[in-house]
Amino acid sequence: MCFAKFFQTKEMYFFIEKLNFKSALWAFIALVPFWLNNAKGQEVYHSKVWSPDLGNGYYKNPIIFADYSDPDAIRVGDDYYLVASSFDAIPGLPILHSKDLINWSIVSHALLKQPPYDVFDKPQHGNGAWAPSIRYHNKEFYIYYPDPDFGIYMVKSKSIKGTWSKPLLVEKGKGIIDPCPFWDDNGKAYLVHAFAGSRAGIKSILVIQEMNKEGTRIINDGQIVYDGHQHDPTVEGPKLYKRNGYYYIFAPAGGVPTGWQLVLRSKNIYGPYQRRIVMDQGSTNINGPHQGAWVTTQTGENWFIHFQDRGIYGRVTCLEPMNWIKDWPVIGVDKDGDGKGEPVETFKKPNVGKLYPVNNPQESDEFNSSKLGIQWQWQANAKPYWYFMDSAMGCIRLYSFQNTDSSSVNNLWNTPNLLLQKFPAESFQIDTKVTFHPNPDIQNEKAGIVIMGMSYADLAIQSKTGGNYLVYTTCINAVDNLPEKEKEIKKLNNNTIYLRVKVFKGGTCSFGYSEDGSKFQYLPEKFQAVLGKWIGAKMGLFCTRDSKINDSGYMDVDYFRINKLSN
């Protein structure tokens, strides 16, 4: 057991000592899985900025305050798995695991390199892996995902943490999106999907096609099973299920930030389908509650996972109770009994038969491992010479890389070697310690911390004539390839510096630095974080240069820590 996990366990012992006997007994029961998980080497991470588990048998939404958009989820035995879209970020198709639908951790990625490789070796903002679906069939995990420019791909693996197969193009075509496979009782396999108007020239329709039994290719032209133009514009993201002789299509409609959750049902897989809205925003602050997955617990409870668009934070993940009434699902709380629910802000945790400890998606990184932390992603297919995990020194070494793409020389927007992760809460603080070793034969190598989106800001060390300088850079509308604006802060006396970003509610960012790690100076400028393309703002690290040379400088990063805002 590593020291951090041992320390967490000791803290829990001290906590139990302060409780009365009855409370201590319940705490002990709840912590048994924690100790067992640690004994098995399963990582446990406690976020300091967001946790949905309220510790009293209830939870709050969102269950994941991070941009895991377009979620789909399944239960296999006592384990729940969730997959989300990843667009051009690599590794892609993140897979999260939970024991109770509340406490999640990142356990794998199904896409280590995205095809076509010559395309995704460069950033392709907003393109790539759109809304996926995950299923468990014949003792294998299947993930189908769409690339709106190339078609429907499938990857599979016998182990969720194992090696996933290379993407197989199941159906070639433009604008075919949001696929979901379904294996029927008679052994036939089907695929339901939608269309992206930006590529296909049509949208708001759902199509079902038959696949071969292996799920590796489409074997008929299929047919439209629902046209949402009149009542459900932008219907997409379908998920196909079967219950009590009915085929059900769960689908979002009405658009990402303001839509509703639609359910269709029919006794025949090709329809005709009856329609019902089963959840919308209602009187709550949870806008556009839709697109997700129906899951059942081991005890027979029904739950629905969906996203909520939170602007610069991306599409966060929420969980709603679900009930079946006269063979129609009702999602959330139906206050007036009309069959249409609204989201919950807090609710009793799912009954999964056991109690499990708090566990959250990974954020902070001490870089003590020989492998890159599972929370990190690059802006394109990664190259092995971008970084080195120096576990002996306890740091990650980022090598400067020259972006030779002539269309993006002005800024970082199309720089592939940005190491990024998602915003984890409404407000938080980033702290990192970096040491810069520029190549002495060139100038303008630059390395530091960045808040990334269609506009971005960074605080970095830059090599110039006469030494290393701390520089603050902003690029408004970087998506339009506009140039950066750079401000020189000061000449540095040494090559090690502590960098900090305070992110306030709403995404206002304050950059600061320290040369001794204790006394911080904050820049007077404030930066407003901005969305990426179909994603929330991100935070991370970079190391670049603008010169071609036979060797690179590098930046050693000691840690990247996420904490609550300091005073």
Side-chain angles (χ1 to χ4, degrees), residues 102-136:
I102 305 300
N103 296 283
W104 294 86
S105 63
I106 315 166
V107 294
S108 184
H109 289 86
L111 192 61
L112 299 184
K113 190 175 183 181
Q114 187 158 205
Y117 303 130
D118 60 332
V119 173
F120 288 97
D121 283 349
K122 300 178 182 180
Q124 301 290 331
H125 297 281
N127 303 331
W130 283 20
S133 59
I134 183 170
R135 291 294 181 266
Y136 188 68

PDB file of all heavy atoms in Angstrom, residues 102-136:
ATOM      1  N   ILE A 102     -22.508   6.329  -7.773  1.00  0.00           N
ATOM      2  CA  ILE A 102     -22.233   7.654  -7.219  1.00  0.00           C
ATOM      3  C   ILE A 102     -20.743   7.957  -7.249  1.00  0.00           C
ATOM      4  O   ILE A 102     -20.324   9.046  -7.645  1.00  0.00           O
ATOM      5  CB  ILE A 102     -22.758   7.764  -5.766  1.00  0.00           C
ATOM      6  CG1 ILE A 102     -24.247   7.422  -5.712  1.00  0.00           C
ATOM      7  CG2 ILE A 102     -22.499   9.146  -5.202  1.00  0.00           C
ATOM      8  CD1 ILE A 102     -25.121   8.321  -6.558  1.00  0.00           C
ATOM      9  N   ASN A 103     -19.950   7.032  -6.817  1.00  0.00           N
ATOM     10  CA  ASN A 103     -18.503   7.208  -6.708  1.00  0.00           C
ATOM     11  C   ASN A 103     -17.807   6.558  -7.904  1.00  0.00           C
ATOM     12  O   ASN A 103     -17.824   5.331  -8.043  1.00  0.00           O
ATOM     13  CB  ASN A 103     -18.008   6.600  -5.396  1.00  0.00           C
ATOM     14  CG  ASN A 103     -18.580   7.322  -4.188  1.00  0.00           C
ATOM     15  OD1 ASN A 103     -18.141   8.411  -3.839  1.00  0.00           O
ATOM     16  ND2 ASN A 103     -19.584   6.720  -3.546  1.00  0.00           N
ATOM     17  N   TRP A 104     -17.198   7.397  -8.741  1.00  0.00           N
ATOM     18  CA  TRP A 104     -16.619   6.932  -9.995  1.00  0.00           C
ATOM     19  C   TRP A 104     -15.114   7.188 -10.043  1.00  0.00           C
ATOM     20  O   TRP A 104     -14.611   8.131  -9.429  1.00  0.00           O
ATOM     21  CB  TRP A 104     -17.269   7.659 -11.177  1.00  0.00           C
ATOM     22  CG  TRP A 104     -18.711   7.335 -11.367  1.00  0.00           C
ATOM     23  CD1 TRP A 104     -19.777   7.944 -10.757  1.00  0.00           C
ATOM     24  CD2 TRP A 104     -19.251   6.315 -12.212  1.00  0.00           C
ATOM     25  NE1 TRP A 104     -20.957   7.367 -11.187  1.00  0.00           N
ATOM     26  CE2 TRP A 104     -20.662   6.365 -12.077  1.00  0.00           C
ATOM     27  CE3 TRP A 104     -18.692   5.372 -13.073  1.00  0.00           C
ATOM     28  CZ2 TRP A 104     -21.514   5.519 -12.774  1.00  0.00           C
ATOM     29  CZ3 TRP A 104     -19.532   4.522 -13.773  1.00  0.00           C
ATOM     30  CH2 TRP A 104     -20.927   4.596 -13.619  1.00  0.00           C
ATOM     31  N   SER A 105     -14.405   6.368 -10.791  1.00  0.00           N
ATOM     32  CA  SER A 105     -12.984   6.598 -11.065  1.00  0.00           C
ATOM     33  C   SER A 105     -12.702   6.221 -12.515  1.00  0.00           C
ATOM     34  O   SER A 105     -13.387   5.378 -13.101  1.00  0.00           O
ATOM     35  CB  SER A 105     -12.097   5.774 -10.124  1.00  0.00           C
ATOM     36  OG  SER A 105     -12.312   4.386 -10.333  1.00  0.00           O
ATOM     37  N   ILE A 106     -11.686   6.858 -13.086  1.00  0.00           N
ATOM     38  CA  ILE A 106     -11.282   6.542 -14.456  1.00  0.00           C
ATOM     39  C   ILE A 106     -10.439   5.271 -14.422  1.00  0.00           C
ATOM     40  O   ILE A 106      -9.482   5.188 -13.649  1.00  0.00           O
ATOM     41  CB  ILE A 106     -10.466   7.676 -15.079  1.00  0.00           C
ATOM     42  CG1 ILE A 106     -11.107   9.035 -14.795  1.00  0.00           C
ATOM     43  CG2 ILE A 106     -10.307   7.468 -16.583  1.00  0.00           C
ATOM     44  CD1 ILE A 106     -10.191  10.212 -15.076  1.00  0.00           C
ATOM     45  N   VAL A 107     -10.783   4.288 -15.235  1.00  0.00           N
ATOM     46  CA  VAL A 107     -10.051   3.020 -15.192  1.00  0.00           C
ATOM     47  C   VAL A 107      -9.400   2.647 -16.521  1.00  0.00           C
ATOM     48  O   VAL A 107      -8.505   1.810 -16.558  1.00  0.00           O
ATOM     49  CB  VAL A 107     -10.961   1.854 -14.736  1.00  0.00           C
ATOM     50  CG1 VAL A 107     -11.402   2.051 -13.290  1.00  0.00           C
ATOM     51  CG2 VAL A 107     -12.162   1.677 -15.658  1.00  0.00           C
ATOM     52  N   SER A 108      -9.832   3.274 -17.620  1.00  0.00           N
ATOM     53  CA  SER A 108      -9.284   2.825 -18.902  1.00  0.00           C
ATOM     54  C   SER A 108      -9.652   3.821 -20.001  1.00  0.00           C
ATOM     55  O   SER A 108     -10.468   4.731 -19.797  1.00  0.00           O
ATOM     56  CB  SER A 108      -9.835   1.440 -19.258  1.00  0.00           C
ATOM     57  OG  SER A 108      -9.256   0.945 -20.446  1.00  0.00           O
ATOM     58  N   HIS A 109      -9.038   3.616 -21.154  1.00  0.00           N
ATOM     59  CA  HIS A 109      -9.436   4.287 -22.387  1.00  0.00           C
ATOM     60  C   HIS A 109      -9.490   3.221 -23.482  1.00  0.00           C
ATOM     61  O   HIS A 109      -8.591   2.380 -23.575  1.00  0.00           O
ATOM     62  CB  HIS A 109      -8.447   5.374 -22.789  1.00  0.00           C
ATOM     63  CG  HIS A 109      -8.482   6.579 -21.912  1.00  0.00           C
ATOM     64  ND1 HIS A 109      -7.746   6.668 -20.747  1.00  0.00           N
ATOM     65  CD2 HIS A 109      -9.165   7.746 -22.010  1.00  0.00           C
ATOM     66  CE1 HIS A 109      -7.971   7.835 -20.172  1.00  0.00           C
ATOM     67  NE2 HIS A 109      -8.821   8.506 -20.914  1.00  0.00           N
ATOM     68  N   ALA A 110     -10.526   3.271 -24.300  1.00  0.00           N
ATOM     69  CA  ALA A 110     -10.685   2.262 -25.343  1.00  0.00           C
ATOM     70  C   ALA A 110     -10.023   2.653 -26.649  1.00  0.00           C
ATOM     71  O   ALA A 110      -9.946   1.840 -27.568  1.00  0.00           O
ATOM     72  CB  ALA A 110     -12.177   1.998 -25.580  1.00  0.00           C
ATOM     73  N   LEU A 111      -9.549   3.906 -26.737  1.00  0.00           N
ATOM     74  CA  LEU A 111      -8.988   4.402 -27.988  1.00  0.00           C
ATOM     75  C   LEU A 111      -7.635   5.039 -27.708  1.00  0.00           C
ATOM     76  O   LEU A 111      -7.544   6.170 -27.239  1.00  0.00           O
ATOM     77  CB  LEU A 111      -9.950   5.425 -28.603  1.00  0.00           C
ATOM     78  CG  LEU A 111      -9.707   5.872 -30.039  1.00  0.00           C
ATOM     79  CD1 LEU A 111      -9.785   4.691 -30.997  1.00  0.00           C
ATOM     80  CD2 LEU A 111     -10.709   6.954 -30.426  1.00  0.00           C
ATOM     81  N   LEU A 112      -6.566   4.311 -27.995  1.00  0.00           N
ATOM     82  CA  LEU A 112      -5.218   4.818 -27.742  1.00  0.00           C
ATOM     83  C   LEU A 112      -4.666   5.610 -28.918  1.00  0.00           C
ATOM     84  O   LEU A 112      -3.775   6.443 -28.743  1.00  0.00           O
ATOM     85  CB  LEU A 112      -4.278   3.657 -27.413  1.00  0.00           C
ATOM     86  CG  LEU A 112      -4.642   2.837 -26.167  1.00  0.00           C
ATOM     87  CD1 LEU A 112      -3.575   1.782 -25.901  1.00  0.00           C
ATOM     88  CD2 LEU A 112      -4.850   3.726 -24.954  1.00  0.00           C
ATOM     89  N   LYS A 113      -5.196   5.338 -30.097  1.00  0.00           N
ATOM     90  CA  LYS A 113      -4.787   6.067 -31.293  1.00  0.00           C
ATOM     91  C   LYS A 113      -5.988   6.117 -32.229  1.00  0.00           C
ATOM     92  O   LYS A 113      -6.631   5.099 -32.461  1.00  0.00           O
ATOM     93  CB  LYS A 113      -3.592   5.384 -31.965  1.00  0.00           C
ATOM     94  CG  LYS A 113      -2.943   6.202 -33.067  1.00  0.00           C
ATOM     95  CD  LYS A 113      -1.685   5.512 -33.600  1.00  0.00           C
ATOM     96  CE  LYS A 113      -1.007   6.378 -34.657  1.00  0.00           C
ATOM     97  NZ  LYS A 113       0.212   5.721 -35.197  1.00  0.00           N
ATOM     98  N   GLN A 114      -6.267   7.308 -32.754  1.00  0.00           N
ATOM     99  CA  GLN A 114      -7.518   7.494 -33.491  1.00  0.00           C
ATOM    100  C   GLN A 114      -7.294   7.487 -34.995  1.00  0.00           C
ATOM    101  O   GLN A 114      -6.461   8.244 -35.507  1.00  0.00           O
ATOM    102  CB  GLN A 114      -8.167   8.818 -33.061  1.00  0.00           C
ATOM    103  CG  GLN A 114      -9.555   9.022 -33.632  1.00  0.00           C
ATOM    104  CD  GLN A 114     -10.393   9.999 -32.827  1.00  0.00           C
ATOM    105  OE1 GLN A 114     -11.609   9.939 -32.861  1.00  0.00           O
ATOM    106  NE2 GLN A 114      -9.778  10.895 -32.094  1.00  0.00           N
ATOM    107  N   PRO A 115      -8.059   6.638 -35.711  1.00  0.00           N
ATOM    108  CA  PRO A 115      -7.966   6.629 -37.167  1.00  0.00           C
ATOM    109  C   PRO A 115      -8.944   7.640 -37.781  1.00  0.00           C
ATOM    110  O   PRO A 115      -9.904   8.032 -37.121  1.00  0.00           O
ATOM    111  CB  PRO A 115      -8.388   5.197 -37.514  1.00  0.00           C
ATOM    112  CG  PRO A 115      -9.373   4.834 -36.441  1.00  0.00           C
ATOM    113  CD  PRO A 115      -8.904   5.540 -35.204  1.00  0.00           C
ATOM    114  N   PRO A 116      -8.676   8.024 -39.018  1.00  0.00           N
ATOM    115  CA  PRO A 116      -7.479   7.791 -39.833  1.00  0.00           C
ATOM    116  C   PRO A 116      -6.279   8.515 -39.213  1.00  0.00           C
ATOM    117  O   PRO A 116      -6.376   9.689 -38.862  1.00  0.00           O
ATOM    118  CB  PRO A 116      -7.843   8.398 -41.199  1.00  0.00           C
ATOM    119  CG  PRO A 116      -9.343   8.498 -41.203  1.00  0.00           C
ATOM    120  CD  PRO A 116      -9.721   8.749 -39.788  1.00  0.00           C
ATOM    121  N   TYR A 117      -5.174   7.816 -39.110  1.00  0.00           N
ATOM    122  CA  TYR A 117      -4.045   8.308 -38.328  1.00  0.00           C
ATOM    123  C   TYR A 117      -3.427   9.582 -38.899  1.00  0.00           C
ATOM    124  O   TYR A 117      -2.997  10.465 -38.160  1.00  0.00           O
ATOM    125  CB  TYR A 117      -2.996   7.200 -38.189  1.00  0.00           C
ATOM    126  CG  TYR A 117      -3.553   5.946 -37.561  1.00  0.00           C
ATOM    127  CD1 TYR A 117      -3.361   4.706 -38.152  1.00  0.00           C
ATOM    128  CD2 TYR A 117      -4.304   6.010 -36.392  1.00  0.00           C
ATOM    129  CE1 TYR A 117      -3.897   3.553 -37.582  1.00  0.00           C
ATOM    130  CE2 TYR A 117      -4.835   4.866 -35.821  1.00  0.00           C
ATOM    131  CZ  TYR A 117      -4.639   3.629 -36.415  1.00  0.00           C
ATOM    132  OH  TYR A 117      -5.176   2.505 -35.856  1.00  0.00           O
ATOM    133  N   ASP A 118      -3.397   9.683 -40.225  1.00  0.00           N
ATOM    134  CA  ASP A 118      -2.811  10.881 -40.809  1.00  0.00           C
ATOM    135  C   ASP A 118      -3.668  12.113 -40.510  1.00  0.00           C
ATOM    136  O   ASP A 118      -3.164  13.242 -40.482  1.00  0.00           O
ATOM    137  CB  ASP A 118      -2.621  10.712 -42.317  1.00  0.00           C
ATOM    138  CG  ASP A 118      -3.935  10.448 -43.042  1.00  0.00           C
ATOM    139  OD1 ASP A 118      -4.860   9.890 -42.411  1.00  0.00           O
ATOM    140  OD2 ASP A 118      -4.034  10.794 -44.224  1.00  0.00           O
ATOM    141  N   VAL A 119      -4.962  11.898 -40.276  1.00  0.00           N
ATOM    142  CA  VAL A 119      -5.866  13.005 -39.939  1.00  0.00           C
ATOM    143  C   VAL A 119      -5.704  13.400 -38.482  1.00  0.00           C
ATOM    144  O   VAL A 119      -5.515  14.575 -38.149  1.00  0.00           O
ATOM    145  CB  VAL A 119      -7.331  12.628 -40.233  1.00  0.00           C
ATOM    146  CG1 VAL A 119      -8.278  13.713 -39.727  1.00  0.00           C
ATOM    147  CG2 VAL A 119      -7.529  12.390 -41.724  1.00  0.00           C
ATOM    148  N   PHE A 120      -5.734  12.415 -37.589  1.00  0.00           N
ATOM    149  CA  PHE A 120      -5.751  12.708 -36.159  1.00  0.00           C
ATOM    150  C   PHE A 120      -4.363  12.797 -35.523  1.00  0.00           C
ATOM    151  O   PHE A 120      -4.252  12.922 -34.303  1.00  0.00           O
ATOM    152  CB  PHE A 120      -6.632  11.691 -35.431  1.00  0.00           C
ATOM    153  CG  PHE A 120      -8.095  11.913 -35.699  1.00  0.00           C
ATOM    154  CD1 PHE A 120      -8.751  11.175 -36.667  1.00  0.00           C
ATOM    155  CD2 PHE A 120      -8.786  12.908 -35.027  1.00  0.00           C
ATOM    156  CE1 PHE A 120     -10.085  11.395 -36.935  1.00  0.00           C
ATOM    157  CE2 PHE A 120     -10.120  13.139 -35.288  1.00  0.00           C
ATOM    158  CZ  PHE A 120     -10.779  12.384 -36.252  1.00  0.00           C
ATOM    159  N   ASP A 121      -3.333  12.772 -36.363  1.00  0.00           N
ATOM    160  CA  ASP A 121      -2.012  13.152 -35.865  1.00  0.00           C
ATOM    161  C   ASP A 121      -1.942  14.659 -35.628  1.00  0.00           C
ATOM    162  O   ASP A 121      -0.995  15.156 -35.009  1.00  0.00           O
ATOM    163  CB  ASP A 121      -0.918  12.720 -36.847  1.00  0.00           C
ATOM    164  CG  ASP A 121      -0.620  11.230 -36.753  1.00  0.00           C
ATOM    165  OD1 ASP A 121      -1.109  10.582 -35.804  1.00  0.00           O
ATOM    166  OD2 ASP A 121       0.095  10.714 -37.637  1.00  0.00           O
ATOM    167  N   LYS A 122      -2.934  15.380 -36.126  1.00  0.00           N
ATOM    168  CA  LYS A 122      -3.081  16.810 -35.884  1.00  0.00           C
ATOM    169  C   LYS A 122      -4.388  17.038 -35.129  1.00  0.00           C
ATOM    170  O   LYS A 122      -5.333  16.257 -35.263  1.00  0.00           O
ATOM    171  CB  LYS A 122      -3.111  17.576 -37.211  1.00  0.00           C
ATOM    172  CG  LYS A 122      -1.868  17.429 -38.064  1.00  0.00           C
ATOM    173  CD  LYS A 122      -2.028  18.182 -39.368  1.00  0.00           C
ATOM    174  CE  LYS A 122      -0.806  18.017 -40.256  1.00  0.00           C
ATOM    175  NZ  LYS A 122      -0.962  18.754 -41.548  1.00  0.00           N
ATOM    176  N   PRO A 123      -4.482  18.097 -34.332  1.00  0.00           N
ATOM    177  CA  PRO A 123      -5.748  18.390 -33.645  1.00  0.00           C
ATOM    178  C   PRO A 123      -6.889  18.547 -34.651  1.00  0.00           C
ATOM    179  O   PRO A 123      -6.714  19.130 -35.722  1.00  0.00           O
ATOM    180  CB  PRO A 123      -5.463  19.701 -32.920  1.00  0.00           C
ATOM    181  CG  PRO A 123      -3.976  19.697 -32.701  1.00  0.00           C
ATOM    182  CD  PRO A 123      -3.411  19.042 -33.931  1.00  0.00           C
ATOM    183  N   GLN A 124      -8.026  18.014 -34.269  1.00  0.00           N
ATOM    184  CA  GLN A 124      -9.238  18.088 -35.093  1.00  0.00           C
ATOM    185  C   GLN A 124     -10.398  18.502 -34.185  1.00  0.00           C
ATOM    186  O   GLN A 124     -11.295  17.725 -33.890  1.00  0.00           O
ATOM    187  CB  GLN A 124      -9.522  16.738 -35.763  1.00  0.00           C
ATOM    188  CG  GLN A 124      -8.430  16.217 -36.661  1.00  0.00           C
ATOM    189  CD  GLN A 124      -8.301  17.042 -37.934  1.00  0.00           C
ATOM    190  OE1 GLN A 124      -9.267  17.629 -38.408  1.00  0.00           O
ATOM    191  NE2 GLN A 124      -7.096  17.085 -38.492  1.00  0.00           N
ATOM    192  N   HIS A 125     -10.342  19.729 -33.715  1.00  0.00           N
ATOM    193  CA  HIS A 125     -11.284  20.191 -32.695  1.00  0.00           C
ATOM    194  C   HIS A 125     -12.735  19.973 -33.126  1.00  0.00           C
ATOM    195  O   HIS A 125     -13.139  20.378 -34.216  1.00  0.00           O
ATOM    196  CB  HIS A 125     -11.051  21.661 -32.397  1.00  0.00           C
ATOM    197  CG  HIS A 125      -9.703  21.949 -31.825  1.00  0.00           C
ATOM    198  ND1 HIS A 125      -9.405  21.727 -30.496  1.00  0.00           N
ATOM    199  CD2 HIS A 125      -8.561  22.425 -32.383  1.00  0.00           C
ATOM    200  CE1 HIS A 125      -8.147  22.069 -30.266  1.00  0.00           C
ATOM    201  NE2 HIS A 125      -7.609  22.488 -31.400  1.00  0.00           N
ATOM    202  N   GLY A 126     -13.508  19.343 -32.246  1.00  0.00           N
ATOM    203  CA  GLY A 126     -14.912  19.105 -32.508  1.00  0.00           C
ATOM    204  C   GLY A 126     -15.195  17.885 -33.360  1.00  0.00           C
ATOM    205  O   GLY A 126     -16.356  17.476 -33.500  1.00  0.00           O
ATOM    206  N   ASN A 127     -14.150  17.293 -33.930  1.00  0.00           N
ATOM    207  CA  ASN A 127     -14.315  16.094 -34.751  1.00  0.00           C
ATOM    208  C   ASN A 127     -13.880  14.869 -33.948  1.00  0.00           C
ATOM    209  O   ASN A 127     -13.516  14.964 -32.786  1.00  0.00           O
ATOM    210  CB  ASN A 127     -13.473  16.211 -36.024  1.00  0.00           C
ATOM    211  CG  ASN A 127     -13.817  17.448 -36.831  1.00  0.00           C
ATOM    212  OD1 ASN A 127     -14.950  17.923 -36.790  1.00  0.00           O
ATOM    213  ND2 ASN A 127     -12.845  17.978 -37.560  1.00  0.00           N
ATOM    214  N   GLY A 128     -13.906  13.710 -34.598  1.00  0.00           N
ATOM    215  CA  GLY A 128     -13.426  12.500 -33.924  1.00  0.00           C
ATOM    216  C   GLY A 128     -14.524  11.700 -33.274  1.00  0.00           C
ATOM    217  O   GLY A 128     -15.603  11.512 -33.852  1.00  0.00           O
ATOM    218  N   ALA A 129     -14.257  11.237 -32.051  1.00  0.00           N
ATOM    219  CA  ALA A 129     -15.154  10.294 -31.370  1.00  0.00           C
ATOM    220  C   ALA A 129     -16.313  11.035 -30.707  1.00  0.00           C
ATOM    221  O   ALA A 129     -16.173  11.596 -29.634  1.00  0.00           O
ATOM    222  CB  ALA A 129     -14.370   9.484 -30.340  1.00  0.00           C
ATOM    223  N   TRP A 130     -17.470  10.988 -31.385  1.00  0.00           N
ATOM    224  CA  TRP A 130     -18.687  11.571 -30.827  1.00  0.00           C
ATOM    225  C   TRP A 130     -19.365  10.535 -29.915  1.00  0.00           C
ATOM    226  O   TRP A 130     -18.723   9.579 -29.472  1.00  0.00           O
ATOM    227  CB  TRP A 130     -19.607  12.032 -31.954  1.00  0.00           C
ATOM    228  CG  TRP A 130     -19.176  13.323 -32.601  1.00  0.00           C
ATOM    229  CD1 TRP A 130     -17.937  13.896 -32.570  1.00  0.00           C
ATOM    230  CD2 TRP A 130     -19.989  14.202 -33.386  1.00  0.00           C
ATOM    231  NE1 TRP A 130     -17.937  15.074 -33.280  1.00  0.00           N
ATOM    232  CE2 TRP A 130     -19.175  15.294 -33.793  1.00  0.00           C
ATOM    233  CE3 TRP A 130     -21.323  14.188 -33.792  1.00  0.00           C
ATOM    234  CZ2 TRP A 130     -19.670  16.346 -34.584  1.00  0.00           C
ATOM    235  CZ3 TRP A 130     -21.807  15.230 -34.584  1.00  0.00           C
ATOM    236  CH2 TRP A 130     -20.996  16.299 -34.962  1.00  0.00           C
ATOM    237  N   ALA A 131     -20.648  10.718 -29.656  1.00  0.00           N
ATOM    238  CA  ALA A 131     -21.362   9.943 -28.626  1.00  0.00           C
ATOM    239  C   ALA A 131     -21.260   8.432 -28.828  1.00  0.00           C
ATOM    240  O   ALA A 131     -21.776   7.906 -29.822  1.00  0.00           O
ATOM    241  CB  ALA A 131     -22.823  10.369 -28.590  1.00  0.00           C
ATOM    242  N   PRO A 132     -20.612   7.731 -27.881  1.00  0.00           N
ATOM    243  CA  PRO A 132     -20.450   6.282 -27.996  1.00  0.00           C
ATOM    244  C   PRO A 132     -21.547   5.518 -27.234  1.00  0.00           C
ATOM    245  O   PRO A 132     -22.347   6.105 -26.498  1.00  0.00           O
ATOM    246  CB  PRO A 132     -19.099   6.051 -27.332  1.00  0.00           C
ATOM    247  CG  PRO A 132     -19.108   7.075 -26.215  1.00  0.00           C
ATOM    248  CD  PRO A 132     -19.862   8.271 -26.723  1.00  0.00           C
ATOM    249  N   SER A 133     -21.533   4.227 -27.402  1.00  0.00           N
ATOM    250  CA  SER A 133     -22.371   3.342 -26.575  1.00  0.00           C
ATOM    251  C   SER A 133     -21.523   2.144 -26.164  1.00  0.00           C
ATOM    252  O   SER A 133     -20.602   1.749 -26.885  1.00  0.00           O
ATOM    253  CB  SER A 133     -23.621   2.880 -27.330  1.00  0.00           C
ATOM    254  OG  SER A 133     -23.255   2.183 -28.504  1.00  0.00           O
ATOM    255  N   ILE A 134     -21.841   1.588 -24.996  1.00  0.00           N
ATOM    256  CA  ILE A 134     -21.101   0.437 -24.484  1.00  0.00           C
ATOM    257  C   ILE A 134     -22.089  -0.679 -24.153  1.00  0.00           C
ATOM    258  O   ILE A 134     -23.157  -0.439 -23.575  1.00  0.00           O
ATOM    259  CB  ILE A 134     -20.255   0.818 -23.244  1.00  0.00           C
ATOM    260  CG1 ILE A 134     -19.434  -0.389 -22.763  1.00  0.00           C
ATOM    261  CG2 ILE A 134     -21.108   1.397 -22.130  1.00  0.00           C
ATOM    262  CD1 ILE A 134     -18.395  -0.032 -21.710  1.00  0.00           C
ATOM    263  N   ARG A 135     -21.727  -1.907 -24.536  1.00  0.00           N
ATOM    264  CA  ARG A 135     -22.549  -3.074 -24.225  1.00  0.00           C
ATOM    265  C   ARG A 135     -21.643  -4.255 -23.869  1.00  0.00           C
ATOM    266  O   ARG A 135     -20.468  -4.291 -24.266  1.00  0.00           O
ATOM    267  CB  ARG A 135     -23.444  -3.454 -25.417  1.00  0.00           C
ATOM    268  CG  ARG A 135     -24.552  -2.445 -25.723  1.00  0.00           C
ATOM    269  CD  ARG A 135     -25.572  -2.361 -24.619  1.00  0.00           C
ATOM    270  NE  ARG A 135     -26.646  -1.421 -24.898  1.00  0.00           N
ATOM    271  CZ  ARG A 135     -26.659  -0.159 -24.508  1.00  0.00           C
ATOM    272  NH1 ARG A 135     -25.615   0.336 -23.849  1.00  0.00           N
ATOM    273  NH2 ARG A 135     -27.692   0.618 -24.776  1.00  0.00           N
ATOM    274  N   TYR A 136     -22.215  -5.202 -23.129  1.00  0.00           N
ATOM    275  CA  TYR A 136     -21.498  -6.436 -22.769  1.00  0.00           C
ATOM    276  C   TYR A 136     -22.253  -7.580 -23.410  1.00  0.00           C
ATOM    277  O   TYR A 136     -23.430  -7.826 -23.110  1.00  0.00           O
ATOM    278  CB  TYR A 136     -21.455  -6.587 -21.254  1.00  0.00           C
ATOM    279  CG  TYR A 136     -20.573  -7.714 -20.767  1.00  0.00           C
ATOM    280  CD1 TYR A 136     -19.191  -7.661 -20.918  1.00  0.00           C
ATOM    281  CD2 TYR A 136     -21.121  -8.833 -20.155  1.00  0.00           C
ATOM    282  CE1 TYR A 136     -18.379  -8.679 -20.473  1.00  0.00           C
ATOM    283  CE2 TYR A 136     -20.317  -9.867 -19.695  1.00  0.00           C
ATOM    284  CZ  TYR A 136     -18.948  -9.790 -19.858  1.00  0.00           C
ATOM    285  OH  TYR A 136     -18.148 -10.812 -19.406  1.00  0.00           O
TER     286      TYR A 136
END
